[in-house]
Amino acid sequence: MQHARETQQDVPMLRMSETPIELELSIHPPTQPEVERGLQLPPPTQDPPETQHQTQLQPEVQLSESGPEHQPQAVSLWMKHRRLLLLLWEVSISAALLGLIYYIHQNQNRSSDQPSTVTPCLSPACQWASAQLSTSADPFKEPCDYFLFTCGSDRITQDSRGRHRGQGLPGHPQNQNGKSAWPERKGERSLREEKVMDRKTMLLQYLREILESNDTAGSSAVQKTKRFFHSCLDTRSIETAGVEPFLTLIQKLGGWAVSGQWNKTDFNSTLSLLMRDYATFPFFNLYVGKDPEEMAHGRNKRYIQIDQPDLLIPTEWNSKTQTSQTKAQTVRPFMATWLRYLALLGAPPNSDMMHVGMFMSLSSELAVRATPLQYRLSKGQLHQRMSIKELQIQAPAIDWLGCLRAAFHPLPLIEDDHVLLHNLPYVVHMSPIIGKWLNNYETSNSAPLQTYMVLNLLHTLMPAMDSRFAERVKNVSVGNADGTAPRWRRCVLETERGFDSVLTHLLSERTAHREAEEMIENIFSSFKSKLHKLKGTNQKSLQSVMTKVQSLIPRLWITSEISGDAELDLLFSTVSVSTPSFFSNYVQLLSLLQKRRRRLLSEPSEPPDVLSVTPLLLGSELLFPMGMFVPPHFHPTYPRAMNYGVLGFLIAKDILHMLLPDIYSQSETVHAVGECVWTHYLTVTEKASRGGAFSLSSAQRQEVWVQYSALQIALQAYHQSLQKRPGDTSISGLSHTHLFLSAFSQGNCDFDPYHEFMPLEPSFLIKVICARSHLCPTSLQCPSQTQQHSLQTC
């Protein structure tokens, strides 16, 4: 019986390379002669121990010496022995069958994972991926140093071998002076960042390809979107147009005193027009959002939110006086910039200094009460609720109801509607300043408030202006233009601001919904399985996390608001896009941007963010944006091994970061696994023996655990996928597991906010995974090492 149990326990430990001989039974069923002899009756009496032992070994001898009167007892005793033998026989057969089934299953998995049996993927996407894999280090061909290659760079130099990522980081234990211990060669950092695209850049590149496609069969809205993008790229037409489009727009607004032509338009009327048609907010910012207090109680109503403006004048926060101040060394170049702008716009030389001076003076007065977000948070000034009527009393210089109605037309707003303020002291401070400049007789003919609003409009429209403005926009304090970004990237971002619903529709058409949903389901299932294996130091807190996770519903973040081309065409029916005129197209985009805010206020559902590349937790739903499922991280024709090795790992890592931010203090497993992986690294790189070891911080241990767990989760999810849908294609003739790990090795370079805490290259985790040798196609032992290390499983 004991031997049978040992046989059962040994079965799961079989390796794929072992032969069926090890599964042969040590207990065999008795032959026919033995059964016949067994039917002879044993002796009826109990013998001494020695005699009893001998009796059990030689029943046929005792039977011949027994008399007829002892036959019934002998039969009874032998029947017990017979039942015992039959039970042993049945257990042995069961153990053999289980072992045989396990062996066949494992060998089938192994045989189906051999390069000679995999089905090649020949799609264009797979051909591209094959070329990429051929240029990267293969962990199983270069087991000694594949993990020492810097993410996105070519093979590292000989003198940098063995360096781990922690060195050179500010604040690192081996770098207390805060400077890099390994200075990069000139251009090395920029080259690496150029080669390794972050997920956002990959998505923007994919959207660029969609917008540049020559498909003319799309809807009217799609064609308008593409024309807008191409007009943004047409810098020659933008340069040719110069400043004339903006000067024409000024005249539509009633002119301005700078040119000597101003129709003395009403202040609040001009402000309402800027807010409604040009998404320009000179004196305060306006957007739509939820109230955190209501969200905590399950209510998701959105409100108009009023904040301090993005002031153009550069200021510095004085923590002693708790005010914002301007400084001469920053104000001088600011003044020079705006003088140059007025000159470009044709302002007379004898009056430009006066107008810029009043613009700067008004800006400085408003900036005094503009405070940093952290300060307002500490003072409880965020999300202060009041009605529009109450706001009108607090800041009477602004016609709040009129301006808000114009901005959100045709939504019916009344003075009892509530808004949320994020800096009420600023709003209260702003009102008398506007009143003072509005009623100052000495400056009335100079129209400083009109000039201030027009210059803010100029700043809004600078992305559509010629290069003379674009080159100088970086000198303005709070500009949103990125002068270093390639033009195509800026144009994709501008296109999304106004045509987000079209891009969402186009992305949805190209997203493999079934494959994405399947991956989300498998990754989340594997994640929950991993969570249940954690050992908690704070069991109550850990249980609370598990309860929350169990209640979550993971799904692909899609929308049902717009279902087809006809609805899109109707939504953009009033938009007219002209290819050579980017300025007029951009003006229409600003109007679309305000309509987007309007829809956000009126629609209850959360519209998908087409530019999002990380999961979002919204109530009980865990939403995965479509922007995650784009090439090169994911493609429906890729082998699943590749999709799970790259994107599966990233999704698992995102989930772990989002749902388990404090796991280090909740589970002892995190500390143990982090140390185990780090011990692997020190052993393999032989740093401990050379005195190069150092202790990891808690944040580093947690990040090591997160990334190692993410790799385990992705691999388990891939196996789940194979169980549901057996069979997978491959690339470059690699086995499935080989391809999974090679894809991970190439695609794990993700410059997220946590990457600085990872003390080693993520690709090293393949060595740790392969410490369980049955998971990997071949060993990852380095043949050049004089001593082969036996590493424990983490």
Side-chain angles (χ1 to χ4, degrees), residues 285-300:
N285 240 331
L286 199 66
Y287 47 90
V288 176
K290 300 175 184 178
D291 186 347
E293 291 187 6
E294 291 190 350
M295 291 177 64
H297 295 87
R299 296 190 296 271
N300 293 311

Side-chain angles (χ1 to χ4, degrees), residues 33 98 165 168 208 258 429 518 644 735 751 777:
L98 287 173
R165 289 178 58 171
R208 173 193 182 184
V258 172
H429 171 78
E518 179 190 89
Y644 278 85
S735 69
F751 291 100

Side-chain angles (χ1 to χ4, degrees), residues 523-533 549-550 552:
I523 292 290
F524 196 70
S525 173
S526 181
F527 161 72
K528 290 193 292 186
S529 175
K530 184 73 174 177
L531 188 61
H532 283 293
K533 296 177 182 178
V549 168
Q550 289 295 337
L552 293 178

Side-chain angles (χ1 to χ4, degrees), residues 35 71 140 207 232 247 249 267 296 366 426 603 668 729 792:
V35 172
Q71 290 293 323
F140 300 98
L207 293 175
C232 177
L247 294 177
L249 180 59
F267 165 75
L366 293 173
Y426 166 82
E603 295 174 359
E668 61 191 40
T729 58
Q792 62 174 327

Side-chain angles (χ1 to χ4, degrees), residues 288-497:
V288 176
K290 300 175 184 178
D291 186 347
E293 291 187 6
E294 291 190 350
M295 291 177 64
H297 295 87
R299 296 190 296 271
N300 293 311
K301 181 180 177 180
R302 296 190 183 92
Y303 294 89
I304 297 172
Q305 308 205 20
I306 300 170
D307 201 352
Q308 65 188 34
D310 297 325
L311 292 166
L312 303 182
I313 192 167
T315 60
E316 291 186 11
W317 175 249
N318 189 321
S319 57
K320 292 183 179 180
T321 62
Q322 294 189 343
T323 57
S324 295
Q325 300 175 344
T326 58
K327 290 193 173 182
Q329 59 266 33
T330 56
V331 168
R332 288 193 189 100
F334 176 80
M335 175 180 285
T337 297
W338 285 99
L339 285 171
R340 174 63 176 164
Y341 288 158
L342 289 189
L344 292 173
L345 294 173
N350 59 345
S351 64
D352 56 357
M353 180 63 74
M354 176 189 67
H355 290 292
V356 170
M358 287 189 292
F359 169 68
M360 294 184 61
S361 179
L362 176 55
S363 299
S364 300
E365 290 185 43
L366 293 173
V368 170
R369 290 299 176 90
T371 55
L373 179 63
Q374 196 61 37
Y375 173 82
R376 285 178 279 152
L377 181 63
S378 66
K379 296 296 184 180
Q381 294 178 353
L382 302 182
H383 300 97
Q384 289 183 271
R385 179 190 295 263
M386 65 172 51
S387 67
I388 298 176
K389 182 178 181 179
E390 292 171 329
L391 179 59
Q392 188 66 53
I393 297 173
Q394 294 278 359
I398 303 291
D399 177 13
W400 291 102
L401 185 59
C403 287
L404 294 179
R405 278 178 172 173
F408 292 96
H409 178 78
L411 297 183
L413 296 179
I414 60 176
E415 61 181 8
D416 291 329
D417 287 336
H418 284 87
V419 294
L420 301 179
L421 282 87
H422 296 283
N423 191 345
L424 181 59
Y426 166 82
V427 172
V428 173
H429 171 78
M430 167 197 69
S431 183
I433 293 176
I434 292 176
K436 181 187 71 173
W437 286 87
L438 192 60
N439 298 317
N440 190 333
Y441 178 78
E442 295 179 359
T443 60
S444 59
N445 290 330
S446 301
L449 290 176
Q450 179 79 356
T451 300
Y452 182 85
M453 290 189 286
V454 170
L455 292 181
N456 272 269
L457 176 62
L458 173 64
H459 183 261
T460 300
L461 287 166
M462 275 184 185
M465 303 289 285
D466 64 70
S467 58
R468 295 173 297 174
F469 291 87
E471 290 171 358
R472 293 180 174 272
V473 72
K474 291 180 289 184
N475 295 329
V476 180
S477 171
V478 192
N480 59 1
D482 183 2
T484 61
R487 182 74 186 181
W488 70 262
R489 182 186 179 106
R490 293 166 58 191
C491 290
V492 171
L493 292 173
E494 294 292 0
T495 304
E496 188 276 336
R497 293 178 69 202

